[in-house]
Amino acid sequence: MKNQAFLEVIRSKRVANRRAVKKRTTAAIYGYDPLESRRLLAVASASGADDFTVVPSDVVETSAAVSVGERSVWDFTPESDLVTVLENKLPSSEVASLLREHLSLAQNDTMWLSRVQTDHLGFEHLEYRQMHRGLPVEHGEFTLHVRNDLIESISGNYVPMVNPVDTPELTHELALESALEFVGADVYAWETDLEDEQFHDGHWDHNPNVQSHGDDSFTGQPQGELVYVSAGDSNSRLTYKFDIFASQPLSRAYIFVDAVSGEIVEVQDRIHNADVAATGTSLYNGTVNFLADSNAGSFRLRQSTDGVETYDLNNGTNYSNATDITSSTTSFTASSVQTGVQAHYGAEQTLKYFQTQHNRDSYDNQGTTLVSYVSYSSNYVNAFWNGSFMTYGDGNGTTYNPLVSLDIVGHEITHGVTEYAAGLVYSYESGALNESFSDIFGEAVENYALGTNDWLMGEDIGVNPGSALRSMSNPSAKGDPDTYLGANWNFTSSDNGGVHTNSGVQNKWFYILTEGESGVNDNGQAYDVTGIGMTDAAAIAYRNLSVYLTTSSQYIDAREGSVQSAIDLFGLNSQQHLSTMAAWDAVGVGGSFEELTVFEGAGTGAGVNRSVVTGDVIGAGFPDTIAVDLDSGQTLSLAVRGSNGLIPDVEVRDPNNVLVGSGTSSNSNLFLPSMSLVESGTYQILIDGTAGSSGD
């Protein structure tokens, strides 16, 4: 295995008049679901919308910013359905001409303002519906996001009209017959005592241009309206849109019937199963509340409001044989369903936690349903995420009960979050970070659901007290390290390079950051860290995971990404920023906190930079030299950290090969502070190393 030396070059910060442009998506900022890929990129004149250039999306392979002279600059990210105005924003009075030119609307196309909403940030969101010859175009919608009377961005979807038919050939009555035949219900809502307004929305009734068809013989029955729908063949179909509400069996959907052929073109479910509020007796948290759905006279652990489904494998391993977990009432109290209730409740709480605390909709941030399977195999003491769903064993009954506690459910689902966020490879340090993030958010979910957490992973599942799998407050109590490369560190290839063991370092970091702590780590370094609380600590950890880390990130990357996340969220030199760095110092990742914050000035190479050199101890990989261009008058500080037992030996020489500073560490961490630079030019940083007793 290669040894690594991590080099942080901390130089004086240069103040630059730079404007950063952050890429955004509709779902993340405004909560709008992204539709199909954007088709247009517009460049608008600052003085009005008469001077426009329209660029087809196939010309733009990646996100881009386009500007022409003094025109507005629009940023385009194809997969996000969002066009953002970067410079020279247009006044909102130009909305009409902007939409027409931006979308290249045909003569018979219009955009009709259907709703205006405001938010707490001072934005007005003007929602427009696409119309063709006065009829709505399904899925054709655009929203202009306006602040201070200036258009900030546009999001939505434009549906090109392809070979549209303007006149229906099928009567309303025949179209309704086709819709009812398709649904095939025994009893419809209008055939019961329900009042019409309980099931008929009058969709688009507020638009005087929409044509509704029918006569007195259809009173109480759905009144179809003509709308355009783009079918699978890309043609724009003229259809009757019916709101069909059936009571036996229960269903409700918009049914789109081709106004020429009678074919069912599209179906949009409206009930999404009948979710109901339910309660149940859980294994570890007493009586809990959750959503279930009504199905065939009973209730089952599924709900589509948020997307959570839980099934029972009945101690088998064939997922196709899994069964629903049911109850005859909305109270799930039978002992046979308590494991399922616990897992279902945990999945709901985890989903709500990520939605409310981090604006993340399911593990993939696309609203994918959380599917769980309980009672996997027999005497199975494990739980796992397989890339698509969660599986939980029942334990062995002697040391561990079913592995469905809140923190374990949160842990497993977070593996899905990590897969779609940083994608941390499940091996060695990146794998340890992967495991640690699951522990972190497992505890965060427990805290969210119960208002408190115990910092013990899996404490509830132990048959006997003290059977927790890991301790985040005191990792060494469970044989895990609390200091990077310190006691209990797994230097072998077992357990994928110690992913479950070496996770203790970031676990301890998160505990210290949240609660605060003083002490001395395995390197003999004293620390005293002020805690910032669960909410802020989790926000920093989540931003690091979802924004800065990548598949092969190491512990030094976790430090740097979380420090930057703290700055992003709370500001430079905020308590959150200072505590984040101090907590990493406490677990032996990175340099001295005080030294890392004192450098000021300007010049070539100002700021903080990091390089990584790898090689064998006393082999071809070392010594190694890193060249850094610096100016006179700056100060240079170096933090060098070796991994796998590498003890660094460092020299710094100026452009004239004069020794500026040097040092040899007695352990894996070396810090050379505040070296004053006299000469401008290229400085050589020579890194050599010897193997410590713990190296491999």
Side-chain angles (χ1 to χ4, degrees):
M1 179 181 180
K2 300 287 187 182
N3 294 277
Q4 293 182 320
F6 297 91
L7 172 66
E8 289 181 297
V9 183
I10 301 104
R11 292 163 292 191
S12 52
K13 295 180 180 178
R14 176 172 54 192
V15 179
N17 201 4
R18 267 185 239 168
R19 179 170 53 82
V21 178
K22 190 179 295 182
K23 295 295 183 290
R24 302 176 293 180
T25 64
T26 51
I29 294 180
Y30 301 113
Y32 299 116
D33 292 331
L35 300 173
E36 61 187 78
S37 297
R38 293 271 316 142
R39 294 184 176 85
L40 302 172
L41 172 63
V43 181
S45 167
S47 61
D50 295 332
D51 185 9
F52 254 85
T53 302
V54 178
V55 183
S57 62
D58 57 5
V59 176
V60 185
E61 298 297 333
T62 59
S63 61
V66 177
S67 62
V68 180
E70 295 301 317
R71 298 175 178 179
S72 295
V73 180
W74 298 76
D75 183 57
F76 174 64
T77 305
E79 63 273 14
S80 74
D81 292 310
L82 179 69
V83 175
T84 304
V85 187
L86 302 183
E87 297 175 358
N88 301 327
K89 298 171 183 176
L90 289 170
S92 57
S93 59
E94 301 291 342
V95 164
S97 56
L98 172 63
L99 282 174
R100 172 163 292 281
E101 295 294 338
H102 172 64
L103 300 175
S104 297
L105 296 178
Q107 183 176 0
N108 293 320
D109 291 339
T110 58
M111 297 299 289
W112 171 64
L113 181 62
S114 60
R115 183 167 60 171
V116 177
Q117 297 189 87
T118 59
D119 64 23
H120 69 287
L121 297 177
F123 279 86
E124 274 192 320
H125 307 291
L126 286 67
E127 300 179 16
Y128 287 82
R129 299 289 185 176
Q130 183 180 343
M131 310 288 287
H132 179 75
R133 292 187 179 274
L135 297 178
V137 178
E138 196 72 13
H139 308 307
E141 51 196 1
F142 257 82
T143 302
L144 270 69
H145 310 288
V146 177
R147 182 165 55 178
N148 298 326
D149 293 325
L150 295 175
I151 299 169
E152 299 262 347
S153 60
I154 307 172
S155 61
N157 187 60
Y158 173 67
V159 180
M161 301 304 295
V162 181
N163 302 320
V165 173
D166 296 330
T167 304
E169 296 182 14
L170 200 67
T171 65
H172 173 273
E173 293 83 358
L174 290 175
L176 179 58
E177 286 182 14
S178 293
L180 298 180
E181 182 180 357
F182 174 82
V183 175
D186 296 325
V187 180
Y188 292 95
W190 60 87
E191 297 173 336
T192 67
D193 293 332
L194 291 173
E195 294 294 332
D196 285 0
E197 59 266 22
Q198 289 181 273
F199 62 88
H200 187 66
D201 273 356
H203 180 65
W204 288 99
D205 286 350
H206 53 287
N207 179 8
N209 294 319
V210 171
Q211 301 174 20
S212 181
H213 298 264
D215 54 41
D216 292 341
S217 65
F218 284 87
T219 300
Q221 293 184 345
Q223 299 301 298
E225 53 199 2
L226 290 172
V227 302
Y228 285 99
V229 175
S230 287
D233 58 6
S234 298
N235 286 328
S236 302
R237 304 276 195 97
L238 180 62
T239 68
Y240 288 97
K241 179 179 181 179
F242 293 101
D243 181 2
I244 306 295
F245 191 177
S247 57
Q248 294 183 19
L250 182 64
S251 69
R252 188 176 187 181
Y254 287 128
I255 310 294
F256 296 80
V257 182
D258 192 300
V260 175
S261 66
E263 176 188 358
I264 304 301
V265 176
E266 185 171 330
V267 177
Q268 297 175 6
D269 290 328
R270 302 198 61 199
I271 291 182
H272 311 293
N273 294 321
D275 288 349
V276 296
T279 61
T281 304
S282 67
L283 280 181
Y284 307 122
N285 301 115
T287 300
V288 294
N289 300 314
F290 51 87
L291 290 179
D293 81 4
S294 173
N295 179 65
S298 67
F299 302 88
R300 59 188 179 179
L301 294 183
R302 301 192 201 180
Q303 59 105 324
S304 58
T305 300
D306 299 308
V308 179
E309 298 178 0
T310 308
Y311 301 95
D312 193 343
L313 282 166
N314 302 293
N315 299 121
T317 58
N318 188 336
Y319 291 96
S320 63
N321 293 333
T323 59
D324 273 307
I325 300 168
T326 62
S327 172
S328 60
T329 71
T330 57
S331 181
F332 289 70
T333 57
S335 59
S336 60
V337 303
Q338 291 179 8
T339 299
V341 166
Q342 182 72 53
H344 191 74
Y345 168 68
E348 270 199 7
Q349 292 300 308
T350 302
L351 183 63
K352 290 178 180 178
Y353 168 78
F354 279 105
Q355 287 174 334
T356 60
Q357 303 302 301
H358 305 299
N359 195 30
R360 187 180 190 90
D361 191 4
S362 189
Y363 58 85
D364 58 357
N365 205 23
Q366 297 296 318
T368 297
T369 297
L370 297 182
V371 179
S372 304
Y373 293 89
V374 300
S375 298
Y376 177 86
S377 191
S378 298
N379 298 317
Y380 190 73
V381 187
N382 202 357
F384 60 88
W385 158 261
N386 75 342
S388 300
F389 51 79
M390 286 69 65
T391 301
Y392 305 97
D394 280 341
N396 53 22
T398 57
T399 54
Y400 291 105
N401 291 314
L403 285 81
V404 289
S405 58
L406 271 170
D407 52 1
I408 290 179
V409 172
H411 175 106
E412 296 307 329
I413 294 173
T414 302
H415 277 309
V417 173
T418 297
E419 179 178 328
Y420 282 86
L424 290 162
V425 174
Y426 203 64
S427 177
Y428 292 92
E429 287 193 27
S430 59
L433 292 172
N434 189 319
E435 273 296 321
S436 176
F437 279 114
S438 280
D439 283 355
I440 285 171
F441 291 111
E443 287 298 300
V445 167
E446 181 179 304
N447 185 279
Y448 171 80
L450 305 180
T452 186
N453 63 291
D454 55 16
W455 297 108
L456 295 169
M457 281 303 301
E459 174 70 9
D460 291 338
I461 68 173
V463 172
N464 301 308
S467 299
L469 303 172
R470 287 179 294 281
S471 170
M472 297 180 70
S473 60
N474 184 17
S476 61
K478 295 296 180 179
D480 301 324
D482 61 11
T483 304
Y484 184 74
L485 302 178
N488 300 318
W489 182 269
N490 183 352
F491 290 96
T492 74
S493 60
S494 63
D495 186 30
N496 285 354
V499 297
H500 289 95
T501 301
N502 298 340
S503 59
V505 174
Q506 185 173 247
N507 283 357
K508 180 67 172 180
W509 164 80
F510 186 75
Y511 169 78
I512 294 174
L513 180 62
T514 302
E515 301 288 351
E517 186 178 85
S518 59
V520 179
N521 65 22
D522 291 352
N523 297 328
Q525 298 168 323
Y527 61 88
D528 186 0
V529 183
T530 300
I532 63 173
M534 176 67 79
T535 300
D536 289 354
I540 291 168
Y542 176 77
R543 182 167 180 80
N544 189 21
L545 174 64
S546 61
V547 174
Y548 292 112
L549 297 186
T550 59
T551 56
S552 59
S553 290
Q554 307 291 292
Y555 261 108
I556 190 63
D557 303 304
R559 175 190 170 108
E560 293 184 352
S562 61
V563 169
Q564 186 59 52
S565 295
I567 295 172
D568 293 346
L569 293 168
F570 304 106
L572 186 68
N573 292 327
S574 63
Q575 185 61 60
Q576 293 87 341
H577 173 211
L578 303 181
S579 291
T580 298
M581 291 191 294
W584 280 119
D585 294 341
V587 298
V589 179
S592 168
F593 166 79
E594 289 81 7
E595 295 293 346
L596 286 174
T597 60
V598 298
F599 306 109
E600 299 177 354
T604 300
V608 178
N609 190 28
R610 180 173 67 84
S611 298
V612 178
V613 293
T614 62
D616 298 323
V617 172
I618 314 176
F622 294 105
D624 203 338
T625 301
I626 297 174
V628 183
D629 290 331
L630 298 167
D631 288 343
S632 62
Q634 291 184 287
T635 57
L636 171 68
S637 294
L638 299 179
V640 182
R641 177 172 58 84
S643 72
N644 302 312
L646 178 69
I647 297 174
D649 183 355
V650 178
E651 287 186 358
V652 180
R653 294 185 176 274
D654 71 8
N656 299 317
N657 202 34
V658 175
L659 183 67
V660 176
S662 65
T664 301
S665 176
S666 60
N667 55 44
S668 294
N669 296 300
L670 174 65
F671 189 68
L672 300 178
S674 304
M675 291 174 280
S676 297
L677 307 182
V678 177
E679 300 288 337
S680 295
T682 301
Y683 283 71
Q684 303 294 326
I685 302 169
L686 177 70
I687 300 176
D688 202 351
T690 59
S693 60
S694 60
D696 58 66

